[in-house]
């Protein structure tokens, strides 16, 4: 069942997501044109109490389950991505303290966030981008604490936030142990010791506060240091395993919104004397797009649960999820733009330009918290252990079972996060066993024979991917394109594993056979297996469900099943 908080937020936002409401398409479009911050919409989320869900329950917040947080942010992103980015940034700003801060530090920040304080994460700099170990902002010990000097740039909420979690160079030599994190409270800095850098104009999320901050002799107290000096880079890398997973909620929300627009357009538009939704090509596009949502949701759901259960493996899982989901979502939005035609580009004539806006806004998601290339590079670093663990068949079976929905998650323990997963990825390493169980389901009549053929194809493809990883040659400075191609294929193996495991757990969840067939058909197609008409019927049946969805319901298919909707 969906979390009660998610249902409450959805009902709460329906009061203001149409007509003249602050979340209405017209209001969002006006803010976008004026490149103005969505302050009223963010206040609405404050009134709901969303910020309390950004803070771990260990420190007085309401964050017990990262799946719940994903679905809450998805519910906002379904209305407007800019608002979700602007408000949700506080989770990123507090996460490093939740991971590595002292109990007093984390609890104090949690109380301020619950009271309405905005937090931001200041990592990047103008001349260094994602190369965090090249950062030049310094923190030097001084009487009473640490002195900060330098700039952070392209920081979400840098100007509007009260708190910034700042990565600073604390050893002039730099290196992995040369950086530290500081929780900076701007309200406690001396006047003139910091200044905002101007908001940067962007292609999408135009109203968000994408700006920067400059420090000039800003002194912060000793207790501003997060964990020990020299641990900043390690804490950042561990925290990114959480934030990369959670930010895929933005992609799910974009897909919900895009599918809603496209479905309503197909139902309301007539062509050649027929409804657009009756044309086979249109139905196929809608079905394939629905399958894209299915795969993205399966991957994100499993990854968010894995934060609690497969914590030592999150270096692999988060990289896979962050590389795959935004890429798949953007490809799916591109498909929907074909269906909408010119209306997908109009900025005000059709639905106040809602589709054009969400498409522009979503393109930045692939860059957040490390680009697709960065995440695939991290996965490539794991190739030897992934190949070795696959061939040995090693896996944490109990943790995989606990990862599947249907029971409350284990409490999250940040102490179990690791920079590298030494045991690979259990979910994928159990894929051969899961496919055997899927074939048994075919023999028992739970799935059509085509599912067994898909299982056979997946078995061969997964084996080939792991063999390729085992023999992949690379150096620290020379990573060939073939390695990135293998990383993309491994992501699809993970997606297949998520789909199959969720279906096998369907006695406790709402994942049915069509959901599985459509998702696996899409995954296999992206792995190079052509979609014949037998398999394509899954897309067509999925289109039937989408077109029958009531206007007021979100397009998350599992949520529909759990709420007694489309079957």
């Amino acid at each position: 069942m969906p979390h009660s908080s998610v249902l409450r937020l959805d009902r709460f936002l329906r009061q203001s997501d149409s007509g003249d409401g602050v979340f209405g398409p017209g209001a969002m479009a006006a803010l976008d044109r004026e490149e103005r911050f969505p302050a009223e919409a963010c206040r609405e989320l404050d009134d709901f109490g969303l910020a309390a869900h950004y803070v771990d329950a260990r420190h007085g917040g309401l964050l017990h389950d990262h799946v719940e947080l994903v679905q809450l942010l998805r519910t906002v992103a379904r209305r407007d991505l800019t608002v979700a980015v602007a408000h949700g940034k506080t989770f990123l700003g507090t996460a490093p303290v939740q991971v590595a801060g002292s109990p007093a530090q984390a609890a104090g920040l949690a109380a301020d966030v619950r009271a309405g304080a905005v937090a931001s994460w200041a990592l990047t700099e103008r001349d260094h981008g994602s190369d965090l170990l090249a950062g030049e902002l310094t923190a030097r010990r001084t009487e009473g604490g640490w002195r900060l000097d330098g700039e952070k740039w392209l920081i979400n909420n840098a100007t509007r936030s009260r708190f910034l979690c700042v990565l600073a160079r604390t050893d002039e030599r730099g290196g992995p142990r040369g950086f530290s994190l500081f929780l900076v409270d701007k309200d406690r800095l001396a006047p003139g010791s910091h200044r905002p850098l101007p908001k940067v104009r962007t292609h999408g999320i135009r109203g968000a506060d994408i700006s920067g901050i400059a420090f000039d002799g800003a002194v912060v107290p000793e207790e501003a240091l997060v964990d020990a000096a020299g641990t900043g880079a390690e804490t950042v890398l561990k925290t990114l395993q959480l934030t990369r997973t959670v930010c895929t909620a933005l992609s799910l929300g974009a897909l919900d919104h895009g599918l809603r627009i496209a479905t309503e357009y197909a139902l309301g538009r007539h062509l050649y004397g027929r409804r657009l939704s009756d044309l086979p090509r249109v139905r196929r596009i809608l079905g394939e797009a629905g399958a894209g949502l299915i795969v993205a949701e399966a991957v994100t759901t499993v990854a968010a649960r894995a934060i609690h259960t497969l914590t030592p493996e999150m270096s692999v899982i988060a990289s896979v999820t962050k590389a795959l989901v935004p890429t798949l979502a953007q490809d799916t939005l591109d498909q929907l733009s074909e269906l909408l035609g010119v209306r997908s580009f109009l900025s005000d004539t059709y639905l106040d330009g809602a589709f054009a806006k969400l498409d522009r806004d979503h393109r930045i998601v692939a860059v957040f918290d490390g680009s697709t290339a960065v995440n695939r590079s991290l996965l490539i670093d794991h190739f030897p252990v992934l190949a070795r663990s696959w061939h040995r068949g090693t896996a944490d079976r109990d943790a995989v079972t606990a990862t599947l929905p249907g029971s409350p998650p284990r409490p999250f323990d940040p102490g179990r996060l690791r920079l590298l997963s030494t045991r690979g990825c259990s979910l994928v390493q159990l894929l051969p066993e899961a496919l055997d169980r899927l074939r048994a389901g075919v023999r028992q009549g739970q799935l059509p024979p085509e599912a067994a053929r898909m299982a056979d194809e997946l078995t061969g493809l997964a084996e080939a991917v792991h063999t390729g990883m085992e023999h992949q040659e690379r150096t620290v400075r020379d990573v060939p394109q073939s390695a990135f191609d293998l990383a993309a294929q491994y992501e699809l193996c993970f997606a297949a594993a998520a789909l199959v495991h969720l279906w096998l757990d369907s006695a406790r969840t709402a994942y049915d056979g069509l959901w599985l067939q459509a998702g696996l058909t899409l995954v296999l197609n992206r792995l190079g297996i052509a979609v014949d008409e037998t398999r394509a019927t899954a897309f067509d049946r999925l289109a039937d469900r989408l077109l029958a969805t009531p206007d007021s319901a979100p397009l998350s298919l599992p949520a529909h099943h759990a709420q007694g909707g489309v079957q």
Side-chain angles (χ1 to χ4, degrees):
M1 289 292 291
H3 292 87
S4 61
S5 61
V6 178
L7 297 175
R8 285 191 293 105
L9 178 61
D10 188 61
R11 287 193 295 267
F12 180 81
L13 294 181
R14 286 188 191 185
Q15 303 169 20
S16 56
D17 66 3
S18 60
D20 296 330
V22 297
F23 273 90
M28 295 293 101
L31 290 172
D32 188 59
R33 286 193 299 272
E34 298 164 12
E35 301 185 17
R36 188 156 47 91
F37 189 83
E40 286 187 73
C42 286
R43 279 195 295 272
E44 191 113 328
L45 298 177
D46 288 339
D47 291 342
F48 176 80
L50 183 58
H53 292 272
Y54 300 154
V55 182
D56 198 295
R58 293 174 299 132
H59 305 300
L62 296 179
L63 177 52
H64 298 271
D65 181 353
H66 284 80
V67 175
E68 179 182 19
L69 177 58
V70 164
Q71 294 301 338
L72 286 166
L73 285 173
R74 174 186 185 174
T75 301
V76 179
R78 185 180 298 139
R79 272 80 179 180
D80 188 77
L81 273 170
T82 301
V83 177
V85 168
H87 199 275
K89 182 63 180 183
T90 290
F91 168 69
L92 276 67
T94 62
V97 180
Q98 307 297 311
V99 166
S102 68
Q105 195 176 44
L109 178 60
D112 286 321
V113 167
R114 295 197 68 169
V118 175
S120 183
W121 200 4
L123 293 181
T124 55
E125 299 180 12
R126 191 183 303 269
D127 295 327
H128 305 300
S130 60
D131 186 2
L132 299 181
L133 296 187
E136 298 180 59
L137 185 148
T138 60
R140 297 182 176 90
R141 287 193 181 276
T142 187
E143 184 178 354
W146 297 80
R147 171 182 169 138
L148 303 183
D149 292 281
E151 295 183 358
K152 291 294 181 180
W153 183 72
L154 283 188
I155 308 302
N156 187 4
N157 278 344
T159 300
R160 300 182 68 89
S161 63
R162 172 183 164 186
F163 294 97
L164 294 103
C165 202
V166 179
L167 181 67
R169 181 185 289 260
T170 46
D171 186 326
E172 292 185 3
R173 297 168 297 179
R177 291 293 175 182
F179 291 81
S180 305
L181 277 172
F182 295 87
L183 179 61
V184 177
D185 183 349
K186 290 194 294 186
D187 287 356
R188 297 180 62 185
L189 295 180
S193 65
H194 69 97
R195 70 181 190 279
L197 301 179
K199 170 179 162 58
V200 178
R201 299 189 68 188
T202 52
H203 176 66
I205 57 170
R206 294 173 175 174
D209 171 20
I210 308 298
S211 55
I213 187 168
F215 297 101
D216 184 8
V219 177
V220 297
E222 183 66 34
E223 59 265 26
L225 179 65
V226 179
D227 203 4
T231 62
E234 179 178 347
T235 298
V236 167
L237 292 175
K238 289 180 177 179
T239 305
L240 284 169
Q241 296 172 23
L242 310 183
T243 61
R244 284 171 173 154
T245 302
V246 170
C247 86
T248 56
L250 303 174
S251 293
L252 295 182
L255 284 178
D256 287 339
H257 195 182
L259 268 168
R260 169 62 59 208
I261 292 171
T263 301
E264 291 182 351
Y265 175 72
L267 287 167
R269 175 89 171 157
H270 286 76
L271 189 65
Y272 311 128
R274 304 165 64 188
R275 282 194 318 178
L276 205 61
S277 59
D278 294 329
L279 299 178
R281 175 58 186 160
V282 170
R283 299 173 73 81
R284 184 63 54 82
I285 291 174
L286 285 175
E288 290 178 0
L293 174 60
I294 283 170
V295 174
E297 182 159 29
V299 169
T300 299
T301 299
V302 167
R305 288 277 297 197
I307 290 172
H308 300 262
T309 56
L310 290 164
T311 316
E313 300 179 17
M314 283 306 299
S315 55
V316 171
I317 295 171
S319 297
V320 165
T321 302
K322 182 56 174 59
L324 175 63
V325 173
T327 300
L328 176 58
Q330 192 58 55
D331 290 347
T332 303
L333 291 173
D334 290 345
Q335 283 183 293
L336 294 176
S337 69
E338 176 190 341
L339 188 156
L340 290 165
V342 70
R343 286 164 180 78
S344 67
F345 297 95
L346 298 178
S347 61
D348 52 18
T349 306
Y350 182 68
L351 295 180
D352 297 297
F355 190 90
K357 181 183 184 308
L358 79 87
D359 182 62
R360 280 189 288 102
D361 288 351
H362 181 263
R363 291 182 184 276
I364 191 62
V365 178
V367 179
F368 282 154
D369 292 357
S371 66
T372 301
V374 166
N375 281 284
R376 286 180 176 161
S377 293
L378 292 170
L379 183 62
I380 291 167
D381 290 339
H382 284 86
F383 275 8
V385 69
L386 290 172
R388 185 167 58 250
S389 299
W390 167 268
H391 292 307
R392 291 176 178 174
T394 56
D396 187 338
R397 287 169 173 78
D398 291 341
V400 169
T401 299
T403 299
L404 303 175
S407 61
R410 299 172 180 172
F412 167 57
D413 178 5
R416 298 180 67 227
L417 290 170
R418 298 290 182 268
L419 295 181
L420 291 172
S421 172
T422 58
R423 63 189 194 192
C425 179
S426 293
L427 193 83
V428 175
Q429 285 143 215
L430 288 177
L431 180 58
E433 294 180 19
L435 290 173
D436 284 342
R437 293 172 61 194
L438 186 151
R439 294 183 186 96
V442 172
R443 292 192 294 271
Q444 295 165 10
Q446 297 172 303
L447 291 169
E450 189 62 33
R453 288 189 284 273
M454 288 194 282
D456 293 341
E457 291 168 351
L458 278 170
T459 299
L461 288 167
E463 181 64 34
V465 168
H466 286 85
T467 299
M469 291 193 299
E470 185 179 26
H471 295 100
Q472 179 65 57
E473 295 183 1
R474 56 161 293 190
T475 65
V476 174
R477 295 186 176 274
D478 184 16
V479 183
Q481 180 60 42
S482 58
F484 286 91
D485 293 340
L486 277 171
Q489 293 165 23
Y490 184 85
E491 294 159 19
L492 293 166
C493 292
F494 182 92
L499 288 162
V500 174
H501 282 290
L502 286 170
W503 179 79
L504 292 172
D505 193 54
S506 58
R508 295 191 299 163
T509 62
Y511 301 93
D512 67 6
L514 176 58
W515 204 88
L516 173 70
Q517 293 167 62
L520 288 183
T521 298
L522 183 69
V523 167
L524 284 166
N525 183 237
R526 292 178 77 93
L527 281 168
I529 304 296
V531 180
D532 60 26
E533 283 304 307
T534 300
R535 292 185 181 176
T537 58
F539 294 151
D540 299 334
R541 291 169 59 205
L542 196 57
D544 292 339
R545 290 190 177 182
L546 293 171
L547 293 164
T549 300
D551 291 343
S552 60
L555 280 176
S556 168
L557 297 180
H560 280 171
H561 301 324
Q563 296 175 58
V566 181
Q567 295 295 326

